[in-house]
């Protein structure tokens, strides 16, 4: 799809992060084409959020390189304008829309503040751009005049998305962006994100634990476990024909019609098996 | 196992909570039965009243709550029960598993203290015998080094392990009914599969009935015999679990299923416009009417009552005929254009 000439929206090589003796992220390599969409899937402790935070610049990598549109992050001696310019390239949407908005700031002001910091827009032009951004996520001037507490979780997450899009980033890092929402609202936000990517050619790095939503938002998947990427590839291939045992185990744990819960982890030696409650699928072969 | 009357029968349950001096409806109408030994899934989004329903069964509602209707446990009405009978119900008959074990297990006491406390204080079991009982229970829920775990404190255990401890505590009471309120929502998906398998095995062994509360329709369908779907404080549909995916008749149930297609399936994502409403925000008509793609005039004026059909009940003026496949696609297409 994408032309091979422009540099990838994101190129990560040899990324590593240690906290004391603990290695949270170990030798991770990821690439996202301009306007592409990559899901990083993993369970808690897999290092997916730490990876996202390093890419967004919220965490300093122990080793490895992160390049956005072919450029590395400016060093500590870089000028403010340079750092700010780099910040415009990548924006982040957090999991909890109840915690990521200032509860004393009106929605419109929250968007306008970002525009003031990063653009030359002032006065009516800035107000117009704020309205345009809110409209893009399905909100109107009524919402712009209200405080976060008047908004539902889904609406707050729309605000967070509008705020991230305000600086026209090339990469949007979405860290469990729909995990805190109700099922029916999740689908709305995912549809909105699909729509925005078609319109703006922003690239997505979508961090999630939920395999069920991956295919609706991403072209590619990287499965992480214990800080490493264990399998990656096209979303359709990985979801329908997983190669790594861990990916298979993850997929087998998702309830689908006909699914029966089973003790997939290797606890069999300590657990008496009860006849009739064994899984219908052969899980023994899936143990890593 | 089959008794003439169900173990738990909830009949036209209505609950209001005081809000700024006014009663505010949190449960509009819940009719539900759990036969002995069977599992019923109570599914709904946040604010639909599913946790309130479970709490009402144990009369654990917030202060000032007013309850209408009947909740019969083994024929005795919980809503009018004497304190002594209620205590017996809570100690012996019904056990509850909560979503967040860390919020419900005393953080400064050991796992062993937590597990044996109820046995020692309410049943008069000797401490040593109680410890043997809970050690066996911990093994049963898949905790290998039970003796070591009993001396640890909650902060030393992972969420998955702590949830198993909570299940062991529920089983220690030898209840007849298990109220499981989102027991796996805070857990990883592989841990969820294990914890559900553990609950399944324990139930099969003891003939234990379960009211399983969750927002995950597919999970409920996999572990329960029947499913009740709640929306805005009412049960809108009740049906056998194995008919959920093909036989659901309420537009809300069908829309919920369409907004969560299985990971490998070719199904496309269909959003429901609007947001889920709490019971006190609904009008005189159908609570789902404002978000429903098939709503007609009567839906805004008249609240539909549950009617049986197709092996279950549906509270809808225009239930979908599951035998007509076009109905689904039509409904979905229209709901996307709305959003």
């Amino acid at each position: 799809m994408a032309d091979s000439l422009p540099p990838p929206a994101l190129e990560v090589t040899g990324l590593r992060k240690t906290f004391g003796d603990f290695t949270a992220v170990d030798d991770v390599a990821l690439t996202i084409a301009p306007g592409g969409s990559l899901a990083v899937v993993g369970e808690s402790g897999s290092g997916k959020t730490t990876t996202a935070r390093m890419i967004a610049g919220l965490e300093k990598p122990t080793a490895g390189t992160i390049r956005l549109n072919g450029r590395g992050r400016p060093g500590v001696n870089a000028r403010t304008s340079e750092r700010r310019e780099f910040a415009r390239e990548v924006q982040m949407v957090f999991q909890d829309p109840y915690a990521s908005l200032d509860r004393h700031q009106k929605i419109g002001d929250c968007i306008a503040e970002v525009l003031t910091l990063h653009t030359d827009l002032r006065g009516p032009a800035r107000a117009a751009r704020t309205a345009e951004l809110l409209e893009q996520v399905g909100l109107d001037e009524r919402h712009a005049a209200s405080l976060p507490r008047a908004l539902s979780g889904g609406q707050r997450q729309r605000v967070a998305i509008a705020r991230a899009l305000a600086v026209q980033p090339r990469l949007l890092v979405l860290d469990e962006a729909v995990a805190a929402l109700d099922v029916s609202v999740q689908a709305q936000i995912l549809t909105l994100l699909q729509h925005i990517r078609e319109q703006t050619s922003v690239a997505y790095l979508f961090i999630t634990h939920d395999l069920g939503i991956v295919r609706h938002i991403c072209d590619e998947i990287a499965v992480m476990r214990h800080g490493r990427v264990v399998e990656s590839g096209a979303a359709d291939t990985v979801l329908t024909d997983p190669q790594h045992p861990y990916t298979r185990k993850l997929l087998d744990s998702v309830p689908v019609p006909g699914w029966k819960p089973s003790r997939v982890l290797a606890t069999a030696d300590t657990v008496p098996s009860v006849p009739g409650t064994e899984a219908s699928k052969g899980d023994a072969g899936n143990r890593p | 196992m089959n008794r003439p009357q169900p173990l738990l029968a909830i009949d036209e349950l209505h609950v209001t909570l005081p809000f700024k001096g006014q009663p505010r409806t949190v449960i509009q109408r819940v009719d539900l039965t759990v036969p002995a030994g069977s599992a019923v899934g109570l599914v709904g989004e946040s604010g639909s009243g599913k946790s309130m329903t479970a709490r009402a069964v144990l009369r654990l509602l917030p202060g000032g709550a007013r309850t209408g209707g009947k909740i019969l446990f083994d024929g005795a009405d919980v809503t009018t029960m004497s304190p002594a009978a209620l205590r017996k119900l809570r100690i012996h008959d019904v056990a509850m598993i909560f979503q967040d074990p860390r919020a419900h297990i005393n953080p400064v006491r050991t796992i062993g203290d937590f597990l044996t406390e109820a046995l020692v204080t309410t049943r008069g079991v000797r401490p040593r015998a109680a410890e043997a009982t809970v050690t066996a229970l911990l093994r049963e829920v898949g905790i290998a080094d039970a003796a070591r775990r009993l001396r640890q404190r909650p902060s030393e255990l992972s969420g998955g392990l702590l949830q198993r401890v909570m299940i062991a505590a529920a089983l220690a009471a030898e209840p007849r009914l298990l109220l499981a309120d989102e027991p796996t929502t805070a857990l990883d998906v592989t841990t969820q599969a294990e914890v559900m398998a553990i609950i399944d095995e324990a139930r099969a062994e003891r003939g234990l009935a379960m009211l399983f509360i969750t927002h995950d329709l597919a999970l409920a369908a996999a572990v329960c015999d029947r499913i009740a779907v709640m929306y805005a404080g009412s049960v809108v549909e009740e049906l056998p679990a194995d008919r959920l995916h093909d036989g659901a008749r309420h537009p809300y149930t069908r829309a919920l299923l369409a907004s969560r297609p299985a990971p490998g399936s070719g199904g496309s994502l269909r959003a429901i416009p609007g947001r889920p409403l709490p019971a006190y925000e609904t009008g005189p008509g159908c609570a789902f009417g404002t978000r429903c793609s098939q709503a007609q005039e009567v839906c805004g004026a008249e609240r539909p009552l549950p009617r049986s059909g197709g092996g279950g009940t549906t509270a809808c003026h225009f239930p979908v005929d599951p035998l007509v496949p076009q109905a689904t696609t039509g409904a979905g297409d229209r709901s996307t254009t709305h959003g």
Side-chain angles (χ1 to χ4, degrees):
Chain A
M1 263 215 292
D3 199 32
S4 59
L5 286 170
L10 174 73
E11 195 174 20
V12 170
T13 49
L15 194 63
R16 197 176 146 80
K17 178 73 186 177
T18 54
F19 297 100
D21 292 340
F22 179 71
T23 306
V25 176
D26 195 5
D27 197 21
V28 163
L30 302 168
T31 309
I32 308 178
S37 177
L38 170 74
V40 173
V41 180
E43 297 189 291
S44 40
S46 62
K48 58 187 193 302
T49 293
T50 307
T51 303
R53 291 177 63 87
M54 284 192 282
I55 289 165
L58 298 173
E59 206 83 66
K60 204 170 177 301
T62 309
T65 58
I66 298 168
R67 298 182 77 78
L68 289 153
N69 303 307
R71 297 193 309 157
R73 183 167 289 282
V76 281
N77 298 322
R79 279 177 319 204
T80 311
S81 63
E82 238 175 294
R83 280 209 298 271
R84 207 171 271 169
E85 192 187 324
F86 195 81
R88 281 197 284 276
E89 304 272 304
V90 52
Q91 288 288 310
M92 192 157 178
V93 175
F94 297 92
Q95 170 171 359
D96 185 357
Y98 292 89
S100 59
L101 297 176
D102 181 348
R103 61 199 179 91
H104 299 299
Q105 189 177 39
K106 285 179 186 162
I107 300 307
D109 297 342
C110 157
I111 310 281
E113 185 182 36
V114 179
L115 293 174
T116 311
L117 183 67
H118 282 288
T119 69
D120 298 331
L121 296 173
R122 295 293 180 271
R126 188 179 60 191
R129 176 73 179 133
T130 303
E132 187 191 343
L133 283 161
L134 286 174
E135 199 204 314
Q136 192 176 11
V137 296
L139 300 175
D140 54 34
E141 65 269 28
R142 206 161 33 93
H143 299 112
S146 47
L147 288 169
R149 67 161 175 268
L151 269 55
S152 68
Q155 287 170 331
R156 288 173 200 221
Q157 206 58 313
R158 287 171 194 267
V159 174
I161 293 167
R163 182 175 60 179
L165 292 174
V167 295
Q168 297 177 293
R170 305 284 288 275
L171 177 68
L172 199 56
V173 178
L174 300 133
D175 186 8
E176 298 277 13
V178 299
L181 305 176
D182 271 313
V183 177
S184 69
V185 180
Q186 263 185 11
Q188 289 173 12
I189 299 296
L190 290 173
T191 313
L192 172 72
L193 287 170
Q194 273 174 350
H195 194 63
I196 287 172
R197 190 158 73 94
E198 283 161 18
Q199 286 184 327
T200 62
S201 76
V202 61
Y204 289 159
L205 178 68
F206 195 88
I207 310 291
T208 184
H209 70 282
D210 189 346
L211 281 162
I213 58 178
V214 166
R215 204 176 45 84
H216 303 290
I217 187 82
C218 291
D219 316 325
E220 312 250 339
I221 294 189
V223 181
M224 280 188 76
R225 189 189 193 198
H226 301 331
R228 289 175 168 272
V229 174
V230 296
E231 179 166 4
S232 60
D236 284 334
T237 319
V238 174
L239 289 174
T240 51
D241 185 22
Q243 297 303 309
H244 195 277
Y246 179 67
T247 316
R248 280 204 291 274
K249 190 174 98 176
L250 273 183
L251 281 164
D252 284 344
S253 304
V254 178
V256 291
W259 178 84
K260 279 285 155 218
S262 64
R263 298 186 176 192
V264 270
L265 290 179
T267 47
D269 51 338
T270 57
V271 172
S273 86
V274 179
T277 53
E278 289 290 312
S280 48
K281 293 179 203 160
D283 288 298
N286 292 348
R287 288 201 186 107
Chain B
M1 290 266 272
N2 274 332
R3 292 165 193 228
Q5 65 184 14
L7 185 64
L8 177 71
I10 301 178
D11 197 15
E12 291 190 34
L13 178 69
H14 180 91
V15 176
T16 63
L17 291 179
F19 179 78
K20 290 182 180 167
Q22 293 293 314
R24 198 181 214 191
T25 304
V26 288
I27 295 178
Q28 189 66 45
R29 177 178 178 155
V30 171
D31 301 271
L32 198 67
T33 55
V34 183
S38 78
V40 174
L42 192 55
V43 186
E45 296 182 276
S46 53
S48 61
K50 53 193 194 305
S51 293
M52 258 332 152
T53 304
R55 287 176 166 268
V57 172
L58 281 176
R59 244 162 86 181
L60 283 176
L61 293 169
R66 298 182 76 97
T67 313
K70 283 198 185 105
I71 301 174
L72 299 175
F73 184 86
D74 216 0
D77 193 345
V78 178
T79 58
T80 56
M81 218 170 234
S82 69
L86 187 61
R87 207 153 45 235
K88 182 188 163 290
L89 176 88
R90 290 175 180 170
I91 294 171
H92 294 282
D93 296 323
V94 185
M96 192 148 180
I97 303 172
F98 296 93
Q99 172 175 347
D100 182 6
R102 239 171 260 287
H104 290 93
I105 298 178
N106 190 337
V108 299
R109 300 190 65 198
T110 63
I111 300 298
D113 284 345
F114 167 73
L115 284 171
T116 53
E117 184 182 24
L119 289 177
V120 174
T121 57
T122 63
R123 296 186 170 228
V125 181
R126 282 163 181 278
R128 186 158 299 183
E131 196 169 313
T133 309
V134 299
T135 307
L137 278 170
L138 284 184
R139 293 229 169 82
E140 194 186 326
V141 298
I143 297 180
D145 40 1
R148 183 168 68 93
R149 298 295 184 197
L150 285 177
R151 286 189 301 278
Q152 289 184 312
R153 281 165 223 279
S155 58
E156 297 171 77
L157 271 63
S158 69
L161 275 179
L162 215 51
Q163 194 57 292
R164 288 170 217 229
V165 169
M166 179 102 100
I167 294 168
L171 295 176
E174 294 174 33
R176 286 193 284 163
L177 174 67
L178 201 57
L179 300 175
D181 190 355
E182 304 260 13
T184 60
T185 306
L187 305 177
D188 277 325
V189 63
T190 51
T191 318
Q192 163 171 287
E194 275 201 59
V195 166
M196 285 321 303
I198 289 163
I199 293 178
D200 246 19
E201 286 170 21
R203 282 191 46 238
E205 217 165 86
R206 294 168 170 79
L208 183 59
M210 173 167 76
L211 184 62
F212 181 65
I213 292 150
T214 180
H215 67 281
D216 189 337
L217 263 179
L219 179 64
V223 300
C224 294
D225 303 306
R226 295 189 75 87
I227 304 286
V229 180
M230 279 193 84
Y231 186 79
S234 297
V235 170
V236 294
E237 177 155 30
E238 198 273 340
L239 78 174
D242 53 7
R243 291 185 41 86
L244 175 73
H245 290 278
D246 311 315
R249 303 178 75 223
H250 198 284
Y252 176 63
T253 314
R254 298 183 73 95
L256 260 192
L257 286 166
S259 60
R260 285 287 330 203
S265 81
S268 65
L269 191 68
R270 288 193 222 106
I272 311 175
R275 68 183 170 95
L277 296 179
Y280 54 83
E281 279 184 28
T282 59
C286 172
F288 187 59
T290 48
R291 304 176 76 190
C292 183
S293 58
Q294 285 144 66
Q296 299 185 24
E297 214 167 295
V298 60
C299 301
E302 212 177 292
R303 194 184 301 278
L305 292 174
R307 275 177 297 185
S308 38
T313 57
T314 312
C316 179
H317 291 299
F318 306 100
V320 183
D321 187 348
L323 296 176
V324 185
Q326 308 93 290
T328 348
T329 25
D333 289 348
R334 266 185 287 162
S335 70
T336 15
T337 50
H338 271 252

